[in-house]
Amino acid sequence: MGKELFLVSVIIPNYNYASYLSICIESVMAQDYSNIEIIVVDDGSTDKTQSALKVFMNDIVYIRNEQNMGLPAAINKGIASTRSPYVVRVDSDDYVNEHFLSVLFMFLSENREMDAVSCDYLLVNDREEIIGRRNCMDEPIACGIMFRTDQLIDIGLYDESFLLHEDRDLRFRFLKKYDIHRVELPMYRYRRHDSNITNDGVADELHRKKMIEKHGEEAR
């Protein structure tokens, strides 16, 4: 028998976020839409990630990189493992509203002429207190966007040389050919904490320059 075909794959890349991972996975498992597979890509974590995942092993597809390959490579590995026509990324330190997948899936499945769809998001702190709401178009993030898998493959997936701003590079290339539409509902929970990968100022600036080198001044 071949691999079961799910309509939506949720890719959860993880590197040393064991303390947040259970909340993330539980929020995806609690969705009111069930035709999904949850793919957790453990990118060579050295913390207690494997212990945190033990309780979920019957409910997820588990992929482990023995060495840390970087975020875009981990996401690409997750996408390459699926046959689902729709894919969405949820980072392991974030979590989602119970209607997150059903609303995004309904939008894309009922609007076949449209491409990807994103939802607004709430900023939360480590105590899961809401500290703000953001418009996903005015302040886009890497997650909470449901893509048609074939379109991601068409643009070449994530550029694995971008260890930061991999989402900006992907979005820039995606929007050259396709569109991302907005659902004005804050269904994604984006966690702000001291260990966010984007807090590294030096690396951030290097990858901003890399964006300009690759795409020109319009990517500034």
Side-chain angles (χ1 to χ4, degrees):
M1 294 180 62
K3 181 179 178 181
E4 182 179 356
L5 178 61
F6 295 93
L7 289 179
V8 177
S9 289
V10 181
I11 311 295
I12 303 177
N14 176 76
Y15 178 64
N16 287 346
Y17 276 160
S19 59
Y20 302 115
L21 190 53
S22 293
I23 293 173
C24 176
I25 295 173
E26 287 169 358
S27 76
V28 178
M29 290 177 60
Q31 294 295 295
D32 61 3
Y33 179 77
S34 60
N35 196 343
I36 66 171
E37 66 175 346
I38 303 170
I39 302 172
V40 178
V41 185
D42 176 16
D43 192 22
S45 294
T46 56
D47 63 355
K48 296 181 179 179
T49 286
Q50 292 190 61
S51 295
L53 286 174
K54 282 182 179 178
V55 69
F56 301 110
M57 283 303 183
N58 291 332
D59 301 298
I60 65 172
V61 176
Y62 176 59
I63 298 171
R64 175 169 169 80
N65 298 329
E66 292 305 319
Q67 294 184 326
N68 180 254
M69 297 173 60
L71 182 57
I75 302 167
N76 283 348
K77 198 167 187 177
I79 297 171
S81 75
T82 183
R83 294 171 53 223
S84 302
Y86 303 97
V87 65
V88 60
R89 168 183 164 188
V90 176
D91 279 358
S92 55
D93 52 340
D94 299 334
Y95 56 104
V96 291
N97 176 279
E98 64 180 321
H99 307 299
F100 170 69
L101 293 177
S102 61
V103 171
L104 297 189
F105 173 75
M106 181 182 293
F107 186 98
L108 284 186
S109 61
E110 296 296 330
N111 295 288
R112 296 185 180 277
E113 76 284 1
M114 294 184 179
D115 305 316
V117 61
S118 181
C119 65
D120 288 351
Y121 58 97
L122 298 178
L123 294 174
V124 298
N125 60 22
D126 263 345
R127 296 183 298 277
E128 296 171 26
E129 298 166 335
I130 297 170
I131 55 178
R133 173 175 172 165
R134 296 293 184 268
N135 178 316
C136 65
M137 295 303 182
D138 293 341
E139 298 181 54
I141 54 174
C143 316
I145 309 170
M146 186 174 287
F147 292 97
R148 299 184 189 276
T149 308
D150 60 348
Q151 292 179 346
L152 280 183
I153 293 171
D154 180 52
I155 66 163
L157 301 179
Y158 286 86
D159 183 335
E160 297 182 6
S161 69
F162 277 86
L163 300 182
L164 281 176
H165 298 307
E166 81 295 328
D167 56 309
R168 289 187 61 214
D169 171 73
L170 181 87
R171 192 182 189 98
F172 191 89
R173 289 183 287 115
F174 189 85
L175 291 175
K176 289 281 189 180
K177 190 170 184 179
Y178 302 109
D179 291 317
I180 298 175
H181 303 272
R182 178 189 177 202
V183 171
E184 296 180 36
L185 292 171
M187 296 182 295
Y188 195 91
R189 310 294 187 253
Y190 182 76
R191 195 187 297 268
R192 282 275 177 85
H193 53 84
D194 291 340
S195 54
N196 280 127
I197 191 171
T198 50
N199 290 339
D200 186 337
V202 174
D204 182 78
E205 182 58 28
L206 285 174
H207 282 81
R208 286 185 186 278
K209 290 179 180 178
K210 187 178 178 69
M211 275 288 294
I212 296 170
E213 288 172 4
K214 180 175 180 179
H215 299 296
E217 287 296 320
E218 61 181 323
R220 180 177 291 276

